[in-house]
């Protein structure tokens, strides 16, 4: 494995040759946005303000932390938004107003997520279908499955036992007054995904595949197995995000619409290369928080949702152009 590959997967903040750690610019952008939000709405510095912000951002942050696995390996996963919808709709159908069924419905939805990730990975790895096309097909399939399952109008509701993870706040916490369970879920999953990406051989192999698939294969990296694992991680993150969104917003047939592009945008804002070989979990989570902060600021300013969509598209285009320029410049040096 090349020295370039090894260095690309080092965790943010790693000291190299005695130099100070290089800080990802996304953290400065996030800090500036939070200051701008505070100036626009001073109540944001109150616990209710910033805790609700983190609660809203948690599903996207989890989704981005899973999406980065696929992006680092050189692919995309466009099926995560429809998997979120299927998680929410499918859970409401399976629960059928029975709160006691939560204990087996959630594992069933995670099993569905594993199946979706395996199928995506197998199609991309063994059938050589580009991930953009393979996951686009899966997105359409899952949306159709959710619509047929619910006949376009899911019955029942999500009981409090299911909505606990995305809705409940732990009260009586010193200094911050309350702590959303969704934030605890984000912290737990974020730590796990960070460890898996930056402290295990899986992360090194993902970066190697994204950097140079041919060289990785010659180095003995099991490319197919690693890519399947990346898609499974992404799908499991989508199911987790769906559980939080179901608890936060309730049942809807369009709850996951647009989240796949938001997750990709968050990863790119965090410095990930869409051609693979570069990306980190903390920066992707920070990218998700940054994107949520942008939407929050635009909302405080009073701009409508179509404007927010335009801003997201412009951010994605500019970030991709800059990432491509940096990669081409690095290739010439």
């Amino acid at each position: 494995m090349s020295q370039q590959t090894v260095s690309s997967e080092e965790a943010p903040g790693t000291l190299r040759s005695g130099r100070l750690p290089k800080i990802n610019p996304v953290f400065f952008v996030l800090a500036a946005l939070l200051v701008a939000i505070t100036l626009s709405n001073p109540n944001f510095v109150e616990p209710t303000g910033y805790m609700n912000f983190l609660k809203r951002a948690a599903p996207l942050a989890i989704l981005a932390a899973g999406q980065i696995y696929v992006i680092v390996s050189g692919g995309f996963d466009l099926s995560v938004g429809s998997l979120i919808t299927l998680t929410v709709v499918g859970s409401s159908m399976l629960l059928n107003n029975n709160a006691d069924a939560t204990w087996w419905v959630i594992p069933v939805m995670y099993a569905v997520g594993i199946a979706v990730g395996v199928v995506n990975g197998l199609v991309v790895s063994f059938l050589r279908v580009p991930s953009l096309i393979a996951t686009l097909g899966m997105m359409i399939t899952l949306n159709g499955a959710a619509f047929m399952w619910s006949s376009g109008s899911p019955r029942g509701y999500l009981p409090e036992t299911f909505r606990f993870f995305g809705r409940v706040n732990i009260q009586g916490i010193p200094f911050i007054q309350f702590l959303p369970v969704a934030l605890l879920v984000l912290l737990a999953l974020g730590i796990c995904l960070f460890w898996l990406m930056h402290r295990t051989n899986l992360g090194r192999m993902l970066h190697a595949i994204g950097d140079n698939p041919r060289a990785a294969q010659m180095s003995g990296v099991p490319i197919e197995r690693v890519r399947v694992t990346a898609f499974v991680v992404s799908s499991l993150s989508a199911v987790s995000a769906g559980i939080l969104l179901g608890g936060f917003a309730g049942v809807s047939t369009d709850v996951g619409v647009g989240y796949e592009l938001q997750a990709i945008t968050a990863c790119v804002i965090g410095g990930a290369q869409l051609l693979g070989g570069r990306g980190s979990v903390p920066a992707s989570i920070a990218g998700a928080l940054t994107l949520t902060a942008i939407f929050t600021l635009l909302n405080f300013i009073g701009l409508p949702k179509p404007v927010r969509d335009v801003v997201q598209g412009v951010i994605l285009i500019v970030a991709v152009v800059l990432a491509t320029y940096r990669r081409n410049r690095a290739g010439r040096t």
Side-chain angles (χ1 to χ4, degrees):
M1 197 176 297
S2 65
Q3 180 63 32
Q4 178 182 1
T5 299
V6 173
S7 62
S8 65
E9 60 81 31
E10 289 180 357
T14 302
L15 290 174
R16 300 174 185 172
S17 304
R19 292 181 295 175
L20 292 175
K22 184 178 180 181
I23 301 177
N24 194 308
V26 69
F27 294 102
F28 296 108
V29 175
L30 176 58
L33 285 169
L34 294 179
V35 171
I37 292 174
T38 302
L39 293 176
S40 301
N41 185 2
N43 291 330
F44 183 77
V45 297
E46 299 294 328
T48 302
Y50 60 78
M51 279 298 171
N52 284 332
F53 167 80
L54 293 173
K55 185 177 181 178
R56 290 194 307 271
L60 178 57
I62 292 172
L63 197 63
Q67 179 78 232
I68 194 64
Y69 279 72
V70 178
I71 290 179
V72 165
S73 69
F76 299 93
D77 189 355
L78 297 181
S79 67
V80 292
S82 58
L83 185 53
I84 288 175
T85 300
L86 184 63
T87 298
V88 175
V89 172
S91 295
S92 70
M93 300 296 289
L94 290 174
L95 286 165
N96 196 22
N97 302 334
N98 180 14
D100 294 334
T102 301
W103 70 270
W104 64 264
V105 168
I106 289 179
V108 166
M109 298 317 302
Y110 275 112
V112 171
I114 292 174
V116 170
V118 168
V119 171
N120 282 337
L122 292 177
V123 171
V124 171
S125 299
F126 292 96
L127 299 183
R128 308 301 183 197
V129 177
S131 60
L132 193 66
I133 303 302
T135 57
L136 178 62
M138 180 61 76
M139 177 182 72
I140 297 172
T141 301
L142 294 178
N143 279 332
F147 187 85
M148 288 190 300
W149 194 355
S150 63
S151 299
S153 180
R155 65 175 182 267
Y157 66 96
L158 295 173
E160 291 302 317
T161 52
F162 186 95
R163 302 189 70 176
F164 170 83
F165 301 98
R167 187 177 188 178
V168 171
N169 299 322
I170 302 174
Q171 302 291 336
I173 305 297
F175 303 109
I176 60 175
Q177 298 181 9
F178 70 93
L179 182 65
V181 175
L183 182 56
L184 294 178
V185 174
L186 169 59
L187 290 173
L189 294 180
I191 291 172
C192 291
L193 292 174
F194 170 82
W195 175 80
L196 196 61
M197 170 70 80
H198 302 289
R199 294 292 184 267
T200 70
N201 284 332
L202 175 63
R204 298 183 182 92
M205 292 187 291
L206 284 169
H207 282 88
I209 292 172
D211 185 56
N212 191 327
R214 179 60 178 168
Q217 186 177 37
M218 294 179 65
S219 299
V221 175
I223 293 180
E224 291 80 10
R225 188 173 66 192
V226 172
R227 279 180 172 159
V228 170
T229 301
F231 279 103
V232 169
V233 170
S234 179
S235 293
L236 290 177
S237 298
V239 174
S240 300
I243 293 172
L244 294 188
L245 285 170
F248 186 74
V251 181
S252 172
T253 55
D254 59 357
V255 63
V257 173
Y259 266 92
E260 62 283 332
L261 295 181
Q262 289 186 33
I264 294 173
T265 304
C267 292
V268 173
I269 290 175
Q273 289 186 164
L274 292 184
L275 299 177
R278 177 180 176 183
S280 79
V281 170
S284 299
I285 293 176
L289 295 176
T290 299
L291 192 59
T292 305
I294 292 173
F295 293 158
T296 302
L297 181 61
L298 294 178
N299 185 53
F300 284 156
I301 294 174
L303 297 180
K305 185 179 183 302
V307 176
R308 298 200 299 269
D309 293 339
V310 171
V311 171
Q312 178 184 337
V314 171
I315 291 173
L316 182 58
I317 292 172
V318 171
V320 170
V321 170
L322 291 176
T324 303
Y325 171 77
R326 287 197 302 264
R327 186 174 182 120
N328 291 338
R329 184 178 180 182
R332 290 194 298 266
T333 57

